[in-house]
Amino acid sequence: ANLIAATANSGMGALYAPGTDKDVGNEKTRVKPEFFQQPEKVRELAMAFNKEANELAKVAATGDVEAIKAQFGKTGGTCKGCHDAFRKD
């Protein structure tokens, strides 16, 4: 849970600089062009991931397994939301 929260708080948006929407050599980008065309939607999804990941770390610290499972599902849903919208298969 702490690793997920650390990832959410890492500034990972910097990984998606101009040009990362293009293939480089044999490496194919997995980012859909829409990612760069819809910055407000990307921001909304990133903020949701950040919120839920930080909440997961808090819930995990309680040791309540059922609460952790529930929050993990919410956190995973934020990952899926972004991947579904902006990641190529």
Side-chain angles (χ1 to χ4, degrees):
N2 289 334
L3 178 59
I4 293 169
T7 300
N9 292 296
S10 70
M12 63 190 247
L15 296 173
Y16 303 100
T20 59
D21 59 330
K22 308 285 186 245
D23 298 337
V24 176
N26 292 330
E27 295 297 321
K28 304 289 185 199
T29 185
R30 294 170 69 184
V31 179
K32 292 180 180 177
E34 292 88 344
F35 181 90
F36 299 94
Q37 298 162 357
Q38 300 174 20
E40 288 304 315
K41 180 67 174 174
V42 171
R43 184 174 187 273
E44 175 186 318
L45 291 169
M47 289 176 60
F49 172 54
N50 187 276
K51 175 184 174 283
E52 298 300 343
N54 287 325
E55 186 62 24
L56 177 60
K58 289 179 192 172
V59 171
T62 71
D64 181 338
V65 174
E66 292 306 313
I68 294 167
K69 287 179 184 179
Q71 186 57 40
F72 186 81
K74 289 179 184 179
T75 305
T78 64
C79 298
K80 183 176 179 353
C82 189
H83 285 207
D84 286 354
F86 298 117
R87 185 174 176 182
K88 295 177 186 178
D89 293 327

